[in-house]
Amino acid sequence: MESDNNRKGLSLWQVVVIGVAYMAPATVFDTFGIISRVTEGRVPLAYVLALIAMLLTAFSYARFSKLSPKSGSAYTYTTETCGKTAGFFVGWCSLIDYLLIPLVNVLLASFYLNALMPDISYTGWVLIMVGLLTLINSFRINILANFSFIFILATVAMMLVFIFLVVTGIGNSHGYGSVMTLTPLLNGNPEYLTLLTGVSLVCFSYLGFDAVSTLAHESKNPTKTIPRAIILTTLLGGIIFITVSWFVQLSFPSLEQFKNPDEALPEIALYVGGVFFQSALLTVQIMNAFASGLASHASASRLLYIMGRDGVFNQKVFGSVNARLGTPLYSIFFVGMISLLAIVVDLATVVSLVSFGALIAFTMVNFSVFMKFFVIRKERAGFKNIFFNLLLPLASVLCLLGLWLHLEKSALEFGGIWLATGVLLLLYKKLRKQPISFGATT
């Protein structure tokens, strides 16, 4: 997006920090009770299996990002291999993720802030959060990377304190030999289907690697930086999720202690570290939501810019970059306006829509690898090509189809409405003879 991209663009680790921030790693505490109930006490195993599935998909993203410095994520990759119509629908379904994840972060941060400082209403905190996120994202993205680094550092530090408290608490009461165990991984009911349902839920914790692929225009040497950042973001996020959930599961093998398992964060912190640690972890959770809000707001505005540039939306508005700031200002403002819906929307509904769009994007990128390399480029000679261009991407598609079978009914219903809206938009553009000009120059 910036003409002096290679000189002033994001470094590898700045891109990785933004990707990890997008994942909001501290949400592992928030969702522990929900995932533990669904998997019947096997949260770490759900994260391990999700990491394997997401690494397969991240590898497909990385392969595409090596070929071109263009941003666009699943939208661009599908368009280049499966055609304009398929690309439009993948972009349309991905857009719901990108637009709603900033909203989720605003909702969570405002909820926690209102709990800590009730003198300001929840609506007031929403307005403050949206204003700050929009303002910071309006400036060059290097500023965003620096903010994200500070917040992620604080989050990881608090997680290390949590692990220390768990280890010392269990060690003092049961002996340190009780810490060196595989019990958290093998905990709970061995039934397969409930575990798979949990995996389908936690997969969306890994969305940061998808967001990373939208930052190519603002990165140094994007064909090298972005593929590495995609894999590193996935691995780092997975390590954090698995490690923290391991120690939470070690402390709470069942949900019997919790009064409200679906909102377990305050009780986890209280039982492990007391009132002071509870306040500290809640504060860090606000920082975690803010960091994820910054990163997701940036990614959403970049996808809007790319789709505006390509003629899906108004090019003068969404496809433009502010000459002075070097950012897609109108797209950033639009994401801010969508985030204001946090005042009225229900969190469960939003999460259902996010899961629907993410699975479509992941499935189509893996299928596009098969189309790009095996069908279009005809790279079929030898076992290596057959493995990487046929077997691996199709195995990834099958893994994701298994998760589709366990998607919640509400996700399919709301996702179907969003998809139908996309069909109407495409028909409108065709009737008005406004073809989508994919591949436009940046």
Side-chain angles (χ1 to χ4, degrees):
M1 211 174 292
E2 297 175 9
S3 59
D4 53 353
N5 185 36
N6 286 330
R7 182 167 61 88
K8 293 185 177 181
L10 296 168
S11 67
L12 170 63
W13 287 107
Q14 285 178 313
V15 175
V16 171
V17 164
I18 292 174
V20 174
Y22 189 98
M23 290 180 172
T27 53
V28 67
F29 293 109
D30 279 316
T31 59
F32 175 80
I34 298 170
I35 306 303
S36 183
R37 188 184 68 246
V38 171
T39 61
E40 299 185 14
R42 292 168 293 171
V43 179
L45 185 56
Y47 277 110
V48 169
L49 296 177
L51 176 60
I52 294 171
M54 291 300 97
L55 278 173
L56 293 173
T57 300
F59 183 71
S60 295
Y61 274 79
R63 291 192 71 186
F64 271 112
S65 62
K66 285 181 181 179
L67 299 178
S68 171
K70 291 175 62 178
S71 297
S73 189
Y75 159 70
T76 299
Y77 305 150
T78 304
T79 300
E80 292 177 350
T81 55
C82 300
K84 298 177 181 180
T85 301
F88 168 81
F89 283 115
V90 170
W92 180 254
C93 291
S94 297
L95 186 61
I96 194 66
D97 294 351
Y98 281 87
L99 289 176
L100 292 183
I101 289 176
L103 185 154
V104 169
N105 286 295
V106 167
L107 191 154
L108 290 173
S110 301
F111 174 78
Y112 290 130
L113 283 164
N114 181 242
L116 286 175
M117 292 174 277
D119 288 343
I120 300 178
S121 68
Y122 170 78
T123 299
W125 281 120
V126 169
L127 294 173
I128 293 170
M129 283 294 299
V130 171
L132 285 173
L133 293 174
T134 304
L135 178 64
I136 294 171
N137 269 288
S138 297
F139 295 94
R140 292 185 185 274
I141 201 163
N142 298 73
I143 298 174
L144 166 63
N146 295 333
F147 269 101
S148 296
F149 177 76
I150 294 170
F151 292 134
I152 288 299
L153 194 63
T155 300
V156 172
M158 189 57 64
M159 288 177 170
L160 291 175
V161 172
F162 169 80
I163 292 170
F164 172 78
L165 291 172
V166 170
V167 171
T168 54
I170 293 177
N172 292 333
S173 59
H174 299 94
Y176 286 95
S178 301
V179 178
M180 305 297 294
T181 175
L182 291 177
T183 300
L185 192 65
L186 305 175
N187 187 65
N189 190 328
E191 208 276 319
Y192 167 74
L193 291 179
T194 57
L195 178 61
L196 196 58
T197 302
V199 174
S200 69
L201 288 175
V202 302
C203 271
F204 312 117
S205 298
Y206 292 89
L207 277 169
F209 72 81
D210 181 82
V212 160
S213 63
T214 67
L215 301 176
H217 285 292
E218 292 159 304
S219 303
K220 297 176 183 177
N221 301 315
T223 54
K224 292 183 179 180
T225 297
I226 298 301
R228 295 172 183 172
I230 288 171
I231 301 299
L232 283 172
T233 298
T234 309
L235 283 172
L236 286 175
I239 290 170
I240 292 172
F241 293 134
I242 293 166
T243 302
V244 175
S245 65
W246 184 287
F247 285 98
V248 178
Q249 191 78 80
L250 184 64
S251 296
F252 306 100
S254 72
L255 298 176
E256 293 177 0
Q257 285 182 259
F258 297 113
K259 296 177 182 177
N260 187 0
D262 287 357
E263 297 177 4
L265 171 65
E267 292 183 79
I268 290 172
L270 181 64
Y271 294 143
V272 169
V275 175
F276 177 77
F277 181 70
Q278 183 186 48
S279 299
L281 186 57
L282 193 61
T283 301
V284 169
Q285 185 67 343
I286 293 169
M287 297 173 66
N288 177 71
F290 191 76
S292 180
L294 284 172
S296 57
H297 196 121
S299 297
S301 61
R302 269 62 183 177
L303 182 60
L304 278 172
Y305 160 74
I306 293 159
M307 296 182 78
R309 175 202 66 191
D310 288 350
V312 179
F313 304 125
N314 187 282
Q315 288 180 323
K316 291 183 179 180
V317 177
F318 294 104
S320 65
V321 175
N322 184 274
R324 183 178 178 183
L325 297 175
T327 54
L329 210 54
Y330 294 123
S331 295
I332 290 169
F333 289 158
F334 183 79
V335 176
M337 288 189 291
I338 295 295
S339 297
L340 289 174
L341 292 174
I343 296 171
V344 295
V345 297
D346 173 68
L347 180 61
T349 301
V350 177
V351 171
S352 295
L353 278 170
V354 170
S355 63
F356 178 87
L359 273 181
I360 286 181
F362 292 164
T363 303
M364 285 305 299
V365 168
N366 283 298
F367 182 73
S368 295
V369 167
F370 161 73
M371 290 294 297
K372 179 75 171 182
F373 295 97
F374 195 81
V375 176
I376 298 173
R377 296 175 60 158
K378 298 182 180 179
E379 296 179 10
R380 308 168 183 170
F383 176 77
K384 181 180 178 180
N385 281 327
I386 291 175
F387 179 78
F388 285 108
N389 300 335
L390 175 64
L391 299 179
L392 192 61
L394 293 187
S396 302
V397 169
L398 289 175
C399 286
L400 292 166
L401 288 177
L403 299 180
W404 268 104
L405 296 175
H406 294 81
L407 200 60
E408 292 184 347
K409 183 181 178 181
S410 60
L412 294 173
E413 291 173 347
F414 288 113
I417 293 171
W418 179 258
L419 191 58
T421 305
V423 172
L424 293 176
L425 175 61
L426 188 63
L427 289 173
Y428 171 79
K429 292 181 76 67
K430 288 187 175 182
L431 289 173
R432 294 289 300 271
K433 297 182 179 179
Q434 297 176 349
I436 300 171
S437 54
F438 290 91
T441 56
T442 58

